[in-house]
Amino acid sequence: MKAKYAIGIDVGGTNTKFGVVDRKGNILVQDRIKTNDKDSVDGFIEDLASKLQPMIEQYGGTETFVGIGMGAPNANYYAGTIEYAANLKWKGIIPMAEKLEDRFKLEAKLTNDANAAAVGEMQYGVAKGMRDFITITLGTGVGSGIVIDGKIVIGHNGFAGELGHVIVRHNGRLHPGTGLRGSLESYASATGLRDTTIEMLQAYPEKPSILRSYSMDELTSETVFKCAEQGDEIANEVFKFTGTILGEALATFVLFSAPEAIVLFGGLTKAGDLIMQPTKQAMEANLLQVFKNKIKILYSDLKEADAAILGASALVW
Amino acid sequence: MKAKYAIGIDVGGTNTKFGVVDRKGNILVQDRIKTNDKDSVDGFIEDLASKLQPMIEQYGGTETFVGIGMGAPNANYYAGTIEYAANLKWKGIIPMAEKLEDRFKLEAKLTNDANAAAVGEMQYGVAKGMRDFITITLGTGVGSGIVIDGKIVIGHNGFAGELGHVIVRHNGRLHPGTGLRGSLESYASATGLRDTTIEMLQAYPEKPSILRSYSMDELTSETVFKCAEQGDEIANEVFKFTGTILGEALATFVLFSAPEAIVLFGGLTKAGDLIMQPTKQAMEANLLQVFKNKIKILYSDLKEADAAILGASALVW
């Protein structure tokens, strides 16, 4: 019997989302678990199995599945490993493909989580038909997938497209996961936006802000967004600052591959124009003449996580 | 009669070098002119013709030539134009391929000067056999050519690989040609190195330096190199500062395409370890774990300009 389904898994810094995908790109069922709930990768795989195994049974068991595709931070496409991921609890080199194959008795392939999303975007999303584009995930961390001439850039050792770690502020904010200072992820992630909020509240103690009424635990990017919508000055400044840094970084990315578009997705994009406007403005201000007013910045129109699940599943077809 | 030769032309910010190349990649004859000697592009083409036309005659006239390949800053491969080049006198959009075809009655193709050099490097130089590498030219300006999976990255509008213009210092030194602040070219070019020298001499008026005995006109990167070799403290600091900025930028480039190697060439590489050592150190300090001690930094072993002439000529075979 010909395999009809694939499993797509998207490992994010906070949540891991997964689903059963058919050959047409329909996600038939999906669910999620917390990525860092367990300390060990084996604990993570058991959490995953408790929800994924019933899905596999529901759709006819392993023989109806072609395999498992996983997008994960710092995934090595060639080796099937996750290596030194800054935002995950599992340190060192994790033989993830092997562990998945052992547990589920299905072939497993890995790629960078953001690369997986870029594939999904190219096949089913706003980048459909584009040959040159870059996707940037603004989630717990900042990920990226680079498509040049219709193909994902993998690189010599399999780790191309880690644009969240480019340095945007010399000697800037320390990134605890990588030890780097001033990287994009330290500013343009949900974590970075929260750090910026706390810094600004400290820097302007005399300026009134609804943000001051929230506990540290409550100060998420969603909270800052809600406050900004209500006209809170500091919350608006936080988005302006974050968008400006992101836009400057995008101008640098354009110099590399001259993409037709940059596709943004992930939690921070929910802030809409609050983040998009300063991002566009800063990007244009830093573009070379030959690129000015030519690079589209788009929001993904796929349901959150769908792009990554679809793209991951596409690894095994 | 089958065409046996190609013309390769390398347009640099200071000199334009050109030669007759055979199918095996031998440069049979070469010469140079000053790029910015004449105000107009037509004046440049006449200067070029005065030396190139006799070469064409010497090797049998136009019928023995397959065409002209040119590498130039801001060259658009698709359109055959040079557009808004920061380091050239010709402003706006120059239909260079058309002008060359009119003057020499030979088919003409253009690409980014650094892309041309990268092709030369891949076919005949230290990058022979590599599928993923980046070349960086450290000349009057800073150029780059990016090879991914064995192919030059051209991009959606033909202007990919302009890494000299990435921002390395937020609100840093103004680049008069682009209007950008803090771009790599403002620091890691011969011009940038000279600016750094002048800034350091002003910043440390009490520190003795042989550099103070040179006139502004004499303060070239060669002069600074000679003084550094003689142990001059400021001259050594200048190279350390320049290499550090370059190395930080290289770490960013690695995140993009995960190359096997970065190939440096151009005037500044003559400083050898003076520039290489701080460059390597800064690159390694800013690399993600997965790239540490894995990225080779190489000097081109092709004769200066040969890589670019060879690569340019390869456009028309």
Side-chain angles (χ1 to χ4, degrees):
Chain A
M1 182 179 149
K2 202 177 161 197
K4 291 191 288 186
Y5 308 116
I7 306 286
I9 305 176
D10 170 44
V11 179
T14 307
N15 293 306
T16 291
K17 298 153 189 167
F18 44 90
V20 173
V21 182
D22 70 15
R23 286 182 182 271
K24 288 181 180 161
N26 298 305
I27 301 178
L28 305 174
V29 55
Q30 62 177 303
D31 206 339
R32 61 172 66 193
I33 58 169
K34 292 277 170 202
T35 304
N36 285 322
D37 219 27
K38 298 287 171 12
D39 283 331
S40 75
V41 63
D42 292 329
F44 165 83
I45 286 188
E46 283 320 303
D47 280 2
L48 183 66
S50 71
K51 295 202 167 176
L52 190 55
Q53 199 61 53
M55 286 183 186
I56 295 172
E57 302 308 328
Q58 182 191 345
Y59 282 90
T62 48
E63 63 271 26
T64 62
F65 283 81
V66 64
I68 300 174
M70 176 183 272
N74 289 43
N76 185 327
Y77 175 80
Y78 300 122
T81 51
I82 296 177
E83 306 189 11
Y84 310 104
N87 297 311
L88 303 178
K89 275 190 180 170
W90 325 319
K91 298 305 169 196
I93 298 176
I94 308 291
M96 181 58 87
E98 198 185 307
K99 283 179 181 287
L100 290 171
E101 289 179 352
D102 284 354
R103 181 63 182 81
F104 295 101
K105 309 299 173 204
L106 282 166
E107 190 200 10
K109 285 199 174 171
L110 253 68
T111 194
N112 184 307
D113 51 345
N115 283 351
V119 171
E121 223 43 76
M122 182 161 52
Q123 294 190 336
Y124 310 106
V126 290
K128 210 169 171 174
M130 289 188 192
R131 306 282 301 165
D132 299 278
F133 66 96
I134 299 176
T135 57
I136 306 285
T137 325
L138 305 167
T140 313
V142 174
S144 67
I146 303 162
V147 172
I148 291 178
D149 210 12
K151 280 189 297 191
I152 286 280
V153 177
I154 300 289
H156 183 61
N157 72 342
F159 287 108
E162 287 286 355
L163 299 182
H165 303 291
V166 303
I167 307 301
V168 292
R169 286 292 180 277
H170 180 65
N171 275 334
R173 198 178 277 170
L174 179 69
H175 186 298
T178 62
L180 299 177
R181 282 203 169 271
S183 65
L184 180 61
E185 184 164 281
S186 303
Y187 298 97
S189 60
T191 324
L193 187 128
R194 184 174 176 275
D195 288 347
T196 300
T197 307
I198 294 166
E199 276 180 25
M200 283 203 182
L201 288 171
Q202 289 178 310
Y204 305 103
E206 77 298 338
K207 193 169 276 184
S209 168
I210 355 174
L211 289 164
R212 295 189 197 281
S213 62
Y214 291 91
S215 71
M216 289 292 251
D217 275 358
E218 291 167 336
L219 270 187
T220 61
S221 51
E222 288 83 1
T223 309
V224 183
F225 172 49
K226 278 177 205 151
C227 294
E229 274 192 314
Q230 291 166 43
D232 188 85
E233 205 178 326
I234 287 195
N236 274 282
E237 274 304 308
V238 167
F239 276 103
K240 198 176 160 190
F241 176 83
T242 307
T244 300
I245 287 196
L246 176 60
E248 290 168 6
L250 298 188
T252 283
F253 303 161
V254 167
L255 293 169
F256 206 101
S257 65
E260 180 176 355
I262 294 173
V263 181
L264 303 181
F265 55 104
L268 288 196
T269 61
K270 289 182 192 156
D273 276 354
L274 271 176
I275 184 104
M276 180 64 100
Q277 223 178 314
T279 300
K280 268 196 172 149
Q281 201 177 345
M283 182 183 85
E284 288 295 337
N286 286 282
L287 284 178
L288 281 191
Q289 185 68 39
V290 290
F291 295 117
K292 276 191 197 292
N293 299 309
K294 285 184 182 162
I295 313 296
K296 298 170 212 156
I297 305 184
L298 305 171
Y299 281 147
S300 167
D301 60 358
L302 293 176
K303 260 173 63 191
E304 204 189 328
D306 280 12
I309 292 176
L310 289 171
S313 73
L315 288 174
V316 289
W317 286 121
Chain B
M1 182 179 150
K2 202 177 163 197
K4 291 191 288 187
Y5 308 117
I7 306 285
I9 305 176
D10 170 44
V11 179
T14 307
N15 294 306
T16 292
K17 299 153 189 168
F18 45 91
V20 173
V21 182
D22 69 15
R23 286 181 182 272
K24 287 182 182 159
N26 298 306
I27 301 178
L28 305 173
V29 56
Q30 62 177 302
D31 207 339
R32 59 172 67 192
I33 59 169
K34 292 276 170 202
T35 304
N36 285 321
D37 219 27
K38 299 288 170 13
D39 284 331
S40 75
V41 63
D42 293 328
F44 165 82
I45 287 189
E46 283 319 304
D47 279 3
L48 183 66
S50 71
K51 296 202 166 176
L52 190 53
Q53 200 60 54
M55 287 183 185
I56 295 172
E57 301 309 328
Q58 182 191 344
Y59 282 89
T62 48
E63 63 271 27
T64 61
F65 283 81
V66 64
I68 300 174
M70 175 183 273
N74 290 44
N76 185 328
Y77 176 79
Y78 300 122
T81 51
I82 296 177
E83 307 189 8
Y84 310 103
N87 296 313
L88 303 178
K89 275 191 180 169
W90 326 318
K91 298 306 169 194
I93 298 176
I94 308 291
M96 181 58 88
E98 197 186 307
K99 282 179 180 289
L100 290 171
E101 290 180 352
D102 284 355
R103 181 64 182 81
F104 295 99
K105 309 299 173 204
L106 281 167
E107 190 199 9
K109 286 197 176 173
L110 253 68
T111 194
N112 184 308
D113 50 345
N115 283 350
V119 172
E121 222 45 73
M122 182 161 52
Q123 295 190 337
Y124 310 106
V126 289
K128 210 168 171 176
M130 289 189 192
R131 307 280 302 164
D132 299 278
F133 66 97
I134 299 176
T135 57
I136 305 285
T137 326
L138 305 167
T140 313
V142 175
S144 67
I146 303 160
V147 172
I148 290 178
D149 209 12
K151 280 188 297 191
I152 284 280
V153 178
I154 300 290
H156 183 61
N157 72 343
F159 286 109
E162 287 287 354
L163 299 182
H165 303 292
V166 303
I167 307 302
V168 292
R169 286 294 181 275
H170 181 65
N171 276 333
R173 199 178 274 172
L174 179 69
H175 186 298
T178 62
L180 299 177
R181 282 204 169 272
S183 64
L184 180 61
E185 183 164 282
S186 304
Y187 298 97
S189 60
T191 324
L193 187 128
R194 185 173 176 274
D195 289 347
T196 300
T197 307
I198 294 167
E199 275 180 25
M200 283 203 181
L201 289 171
Q202 288 178 310
Y204 306 102
E206 76 298 339
K207 193 169 277 185
S209 169
I210 354 172
L211 289 164
R212 297 188 196 282
S213 62
Y214 292 90
S215 71
M216 289 293 249
D217 276 356
E218 292 167 336
L219 270 187
T220 61
S221 51
E222 288 83 2
T223 309
V224 183
F225 171 49
K226 276 177 207 152
C227 294
E229 275 193 314
Q230 291 166 42
D232 188 84
E233 204 179 328
I234 287 195
N236 274 282
E237 274 303 308
V238 167
F239 276 104
K240 197 174 161 193
F241 175 83
T242 307
T244 300
I245 288 196
L246 176 60
E248 290 169 6
L250 297 188
T252 283
F253 305 161
V254 167
L255 292 170
F256 205 102
S257 64
E260 180 175 355
I262 294 173
V263 181
L264 303 180
F265 55 103
L268 288 197
T269 61
K270 288 181 193 156
D273 275 353
L274 270 175
I275 183 104
M276 180 64 100
Q277 223 177 316
T279 300
K280 267 196 173 149
Q281 199 176 348
M283 183 184 84
E284 288 294 338
N286 286 280
L287 283 178
L288 281 190
Q289 185 67 39
V290 289
F291 296 118
K292 276 192 196 293
N293 299 310
K294 287 186 181 162
I295 313 296
K296 298 168 211 156
I297 305 184
L298 305 171
Y299 282 147
S300 168
D301 60 358
L302 292 177
K303 259 173 62 191
E304 204 189 329
D306 279 11
I309 292 176
L310 290 170
S313 74
L315 288 174
V316 290
W317 285 120

